[in-house]
Amino acid sequence: MAIINALMDSEHPFVFLKTTFFYLIAVVIVLAVVGAVFGYLKYFIPLRKEQGFAYVYVESDGTVRELDAEEEAYLCTEFSPGDGGRPYIKNRYNGKSYNGSISGFIYRNRVPKAIAIGPKSPQANS
């Protein structure tokens, strides 16, 4: 308390406020940088490096499979941002789609290494 009183009674009474303000700004900047690094690590670091089509499909039981030619063509189609028929691409393996299921398209490099990527669906060949 004596330090605060000494600072406030000094020649420049606003020095204390300026110092506090700069500390608060520094804390906000540090928190923003830590949040940005955490977000980058969580969403953008590839979990695996494999060759193949950029996307795979997560089934509702959690297995992951390659895409058939029809699904690849669907993902390569250009859609307008407001088109309700555009595909939903998950950011994380455990992420849920709009209907609450874990099934959906995901970038191949976002699938955890512990999850094996299986062959194309047998129904696709018929």
Side-chain angles (χ1 to χ4, degrees):
M1 195 69 175
I3 296 173
I4 293 174
N5 288 335
L7 285 173
M8 294 190 73
D9 291 337
S10 67
E11 298 172 17
H12 305 285
F14 296 115
V15 171
F16 174 72
L17 293 176
K18 287 181 184 177
T19 306
T20 305
F21 177 73
F22 288 125
Y23 280 130
L24 287 174
I25 294 296
V27 167
V28 168
I29 290 172
V30 166
L31 289 175
V33 168
V34 167
V37 169
F38 178 75
Y40 177 76
L41 293 175
K42 184 174 182 180
Y43 292 108
F44 297 109
I45 295 292
L47 301 177
R48 64 170 66 212
K49 295 180 182 184
E50 291 182 358
Q51 298 298 323
F53 191 67
Y55 303 97
V56 291
Y57 191 81
V58 179
E59 299 287 351
S60 58
D61 62 357
T63 59
V64 180
R65 66 169 173 80
E66 297 285 347
L67 303 178
D68 60 20
E70 188 176 305
E71 291 170 323
E72 288 181 14
Y74 173 61
L75 288 174
C76 290
T77 304
E78 280 196 42
F79 292 92
S80 68
D83 189 352
R86 72 182 189 277
Y88 171 71
I89 309 296
K90 298 168 33 142
N91 287 324
R92 294 178 302 164
Y93 171 78
N94 289 331
K96 305 236 175 175
S97 61
Y98 62 92
N99 62 359
S101 171
I102 70 163
S103 62
F105 298 107
I106 187 171
Y107 285 106
R108 176 185 298 275
N109 64 4
R110 296 300 301 154
V111 177
K113 290 181 182 178
I115 307 294
I117 297 177
K120 296 177 183 179
S121 174
Q123 297 97 357
N125 297 334
S126 50

